[in-house]
């Protein structure tokens, strides 16, 4: 069972080597792990071979020896696959490093072009900022004129408000006087009515005494 386990682990590790993207340090670590697994596998095969030699029955001995031979063949196959995986991985890493070098050159060219573009952009930005500065100065001047106009309008409104307050006081005073005069007129009418009623009563009394003395 341990032999089968190590065999499967070696196959998986070989596949990891084949798929390894790099760098070489990562490949070295994977190879160290595979070497350790091969060592354990070799020890277990040797133990199984020793066990076969110690068997008393020839049939069991031959059966175990055939199994040992199969495991050895499988181990050799795994070692060949391991070498192929290492070769493929190293080629892939070399190609990747070449691509990175080419990309580095392209990046240097791009940086040179970018510097020129940045210099041109900086010049354009400077001109744009100067234009914006002039526009802002004009806006500030217009804002100052607007503030001055609003201040003048505010003073005019305050003066008109004061006049309205004065007029309101005058109107209230006139209203009070009119109310007072209306009350006095009502009082005068009442007094006149009472005086007229008293006069009429006096005249009637005199006429009564003159015309009807016996009453």
């Amino acid at each position: 069972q341990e032999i089968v386990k190590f065999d499967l682990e070696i196959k998986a590790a070989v596949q990891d080597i084949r798929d390894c993207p790099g760098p070489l340090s990562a490949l070295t670590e994977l190879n160290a792990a595979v070497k350790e697994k091969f060592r354990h596998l070799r020890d277990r095969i040797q133990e199984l071979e020793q066990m076969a030699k110690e068997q008393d029955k020839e049939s069991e001995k031959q059966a175990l020896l055939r199994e040992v031979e199969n495991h050895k063949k499988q181990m050799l196959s795994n070692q060949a696959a391991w070498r192929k995986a290492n070769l493929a991985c190293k080629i892939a890493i070399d190609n990747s490093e070449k691509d990175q070098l080419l990309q580095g050159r392209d990046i240097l060219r791009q940086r040179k072009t970018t510097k020129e573009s940045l210099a041109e952009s900086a010049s354009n930005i400077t001109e744009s900022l100067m234009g914006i500065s002039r526009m802002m100065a004009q806006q500030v001047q217009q804002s100052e004129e607007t503030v001055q106009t609003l201040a003048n309008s505010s003073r005019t409104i305050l003066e008109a408000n004061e006049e309205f307050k004065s007029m309101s006081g005058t109107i209230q005073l006139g209203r009070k006087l009119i109310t007072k005069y209306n009350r006095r007129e009502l009082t005068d009418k009442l007094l006149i009515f009472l005086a007229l009623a008293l006069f009429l009563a006096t005249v009637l009394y005199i006429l009564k005494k003159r015309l009807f003395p016996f009453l």
Side-chain angles (χ1 to χ4, degrees), residues 145-165:
E145 294 175 356
T146 303
V147 169
Q148 186 63 34
T149 303
L150 289 174
N152 295 333
S153 300
S154 179
R155 283 195 295 271
T156 303
I157 291 171
L158 290 174
E159 292 173 358
N161 190 28
E162 292 296 329
E163 292 180 1
F164 286 147
K165 287 182 179 179

Side-chain angles (χ1 to χ4, degrees), residues 71-170:
H71 287 311
K72 286 182 178 181
K73 289 180 181 179
Q74 186 62 46
M75 185 176 66
L76 291 174
S77 176
N78 288 336
Q79 287 176 343
W82 180 29
R83 287 191 292 270
K84 290 180 181 179
N86 268 283
L87 181 60
C89 182
K90 288 179 179 179
I91 292 173
I93 291 174
D94 290 340
N95 291 333
S96 177
E97 290 178 351
K98 289 179 182 178
D99 292 339
Q100 289 178 0
L101 288 174
L102 292 175
Q103 289 177 359
R105 292 176 183 174
D106 292 337
I107 290 172
L108 289 175
R109 294 195 195 97
Q110 290 176 0
R111 284 180 180 176
K112 184 178 179 181
T113 306
T114 302
K115 286 181 180 179
E116 295 175 354
S117 300
L118 287 175
E120 185 178 356
S121 299
S123 178
N124 295 332
I125 290 171
T126 302
E127 293 179 0
S128 299
L129 288 175
M130 292 177 66
I132 292 170
S133 179
R134 288 192 293 269
M135 291 177 61
M136 289 180 66
Q138 293 176 357
Q139 291 293 331
V140 169
Q141 184 178 358
Q142 292 178 359
S143 298
E144 290 177 351
E145 294 175 356
T146 303
V147 169
Q148 186 63 34
T149 303
L150 289 174
N152 295 333
S153 300
S154 179
R155 283 195 295 271
T156 303
I157 291 171
L158 290 174
E159 292 173 358
N161 190 28
E162 292 296 329
E163 292 180 1
F164 286 147
K165 287 182 179 179
S166 178
M167 291 176 64
S168 177
T170 304

